[in-house]
């Protein structure tokens, strides 16, 4: 049996377009996802349509199992290269500017709107004006037990910015530890781990058991896209570890198909439990616990599979093949680069826009599919308009939304 050829061990800081593609698609997909929650029967979204359906959460579940975990893994990959380039101090400063500034700005300026619309859509007696509501939104108390979501209040929330809160927290926790990475014992552990997963097929799937245990026994949190908040730290650290050695990337390509098949099968097996249990995310029944375990294992497999499959496809593409569409590719690449730069501002903007549009659309006399299509179309148009006309036009707004000048 041939011994797998080991790639060069230091991972080169090259741009990986497939990761930009995933990031953009997840952010754009959140518009579809959050718009769907307006019509979901089992979700307490800000604004709800009178007519709801069970189909929404079943259809959305497959995205939930991999989308946000994959964003954290990709963020971990980027963190490794950023730390090497900037050092701990420079990395922490860059994270505070790129993540901390838009987090504070959007929490104070954008997040009151969905909560105000939630209050107004609740029915008669909730017609407080927006200006009168703002002081109620800013009433907060300190809750250390909810770390890193330390500020809590009756109306205050970080909302969809929970991703930014966790990513900033993980980054700042990681920065002081980076000084240990050059030490010989740490290097040996990383080298041994990379060697093991390369030469023992299937080993890289083993962390699925860890995620299964976390989902089963620590349970799941609906506020954070279904996963327990500290599960995301493990995805982030996995990405950081994978970036340090190109052998991990080779393994992801090699195991991608197996991981994809296994992930889909495990997710399908978790479905009946989520459909039948009363509170599948928190119940301690055998059915709910096993379903959560299958969900957690499926998540790890799919997070490995998707970048691996895209990376395989890119590397297996013939270097010189006639393509009648080749002349149009530069325009497509420019569009994707533009969207990659816009990913964070679009993420910050999208949910307040979806909620505001939904507040109007749910009042229409129209079937659910018509309302959903209108909600998605208008939300996309407004989100992109706000980004193009307001956010990216000035240095101040670019700074406030975490964009580089």
């Amino acid at each position: 049996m041939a011994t797998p050829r080991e790639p060069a061990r230091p991972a080169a800081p090259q741009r990986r377009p497939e990761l930009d593609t995933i990031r953009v698609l997840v952010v754009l997909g959140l518009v579809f996802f959050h718009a769907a929650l307006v019509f979901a029967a089992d979700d307490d979204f800000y604004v709800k349509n009178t007519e709801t359906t069970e189909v929404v959460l079943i259809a959305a579940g497959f995205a939930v199992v991999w989308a946000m975990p994959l964003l954290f893994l990709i963020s971990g990959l980027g963190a490794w290269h950023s730390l090497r380039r900037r050092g701990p101090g420079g990395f922490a400063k860059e994270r505070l500017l790129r993540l901390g500034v838009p987090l504070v700005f959007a929490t104070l300026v954008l997040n009151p709107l969905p909560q105000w619309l939630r209050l107004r859509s609740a029915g008669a007696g909730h017609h407080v004006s927006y200006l009168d509501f703002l002081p109620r939104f800013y009433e907060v108390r300190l809750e250390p037990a909810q770390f890193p979501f330390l500020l809590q209040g009756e109306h205050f929330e970080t909302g969809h910015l929970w991703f930014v809160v966790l990513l900033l927290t993980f980054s700042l926790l990681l920065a002081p530890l980076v000084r240990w990475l050059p030490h010989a014992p740490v290097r040996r552990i990383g080298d041994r781990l990379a060697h093991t997963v390369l030469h023992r097929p299937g080993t890289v799937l083993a962390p699925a058991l860890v995620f299964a245990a976390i989902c089963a026994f620590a349970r799941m949190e609906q506020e954070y896209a279904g996963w327990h908040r500290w599960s995301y730290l493990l995805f982030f650290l996995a990405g950081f570890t994978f970036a340090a050695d190109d052998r991990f990337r080779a393994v992801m390509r090699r195991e991608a198909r197996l991981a994809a098949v296994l992930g889909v099968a495990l997710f399908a097996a978790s479905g009946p439990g989520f459909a039948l249990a009363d509170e599948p995310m928190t119940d301690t029944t055998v059915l709910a616990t096993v379903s959560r375990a299958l969900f957690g294992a499926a998540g790890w497999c799919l997070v490995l599979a998707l970048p691996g499959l895209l990376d395989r496809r890119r590397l297996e593409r013939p270097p010189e093949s006639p393509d009648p569409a080749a002349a149009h590719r530069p325009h497509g690449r420019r569009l994707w680069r533009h969207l990659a730069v816009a990913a964070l501002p679009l993420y910050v903007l999208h949910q307040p826009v979806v909620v505001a549009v939904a507040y109007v659309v749910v009042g229409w006399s129209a079937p659910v599919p018509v309302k959903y299509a209108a909600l998605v179309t208008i939300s996309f148009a407004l989100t992109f308009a706000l980004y193009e006309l307001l956010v990216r036009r000035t240095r101040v707004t670019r700074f406030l939304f975490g964009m580089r000048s």
Side-chain angles (χ1 to χ4, degrees), residues 52-175:
T52 59
T53 174
E54 301 280 354
V55 174
V56 170
L57 290 183
I58 297 174
F62 188 68
V64 169
V65 74
W66 60 266
M68 299 310 292
L70 189 47
L71 282 189
F72 280 101
L73 184 132
I74 292 172
S75 298
L77 288 165
W80 189 85
H81 294 295
S82 183
L83 269 165
R84 283 191 69 194
R85 189 166 61 251
R86 295 183 173 90
F91 174 74
K93 179 181 178 181
E94 190 264 351
R95 293 291 86 186
L96 286 169
L97 291 176
R98 293 286 311 283
L99 298 174
V101 170
L103 172 63
V104 173
F105 172 76
T107 300
L108 296 178
V109 176
L110 300 180
N111 279 7
L113 178 62
Q115 285 290 67
W116 178 63
L117 293 176
R118 181 201 292 274
L119 200 63
R120 289 183 66 86
S121 67
H126 296 282
H127 297 299
V128 61
S129 71
Y130 188 65
L131 290 179
D132 288 337
F133 171 75
L134 282 177
R136 296 166 62 178
F137 178 84
Y138 298 135
E139 291 177 0
V140 298
R141 62 184 181 276
L142 192 64
E143 293 282 358
Q146 294 298 319
F147 181 83
F149 303 95
L150 297 174
L151 298 180
Q152 301 286 323
E154 182 182 359
H155 300 289
F156 177 85
E157 65 165 7
T158 53
H160 67 298
L161 300 177
W162 64 264
F163 167 74
V164 183
V165 175
L166 289 179
L167 182 55
L168 178 60
T169 301
F170 298 162
S171 298
L172 295 181
L173 289 174
L174 179 65

Side-chain angles (χ1 to χ4, degrees), residues 337-358:
R337 284 197 295 267
H338 181 75
L339 290 174
V341 171
L344 179 59
L346 292 175
Y347 178 86
V348 170
L349 287 168
H350 85 276
Q351 184 158 288
V353 171
V354 169
V355 176
V357 176

Side-chain angles (χ1 to χ4, degrees), residues 51 72 109 187 287 301 358:
E51 181 185 356
F72 280 101
V109 176
R187 290 202 310 271
L287 177 63
C301 292

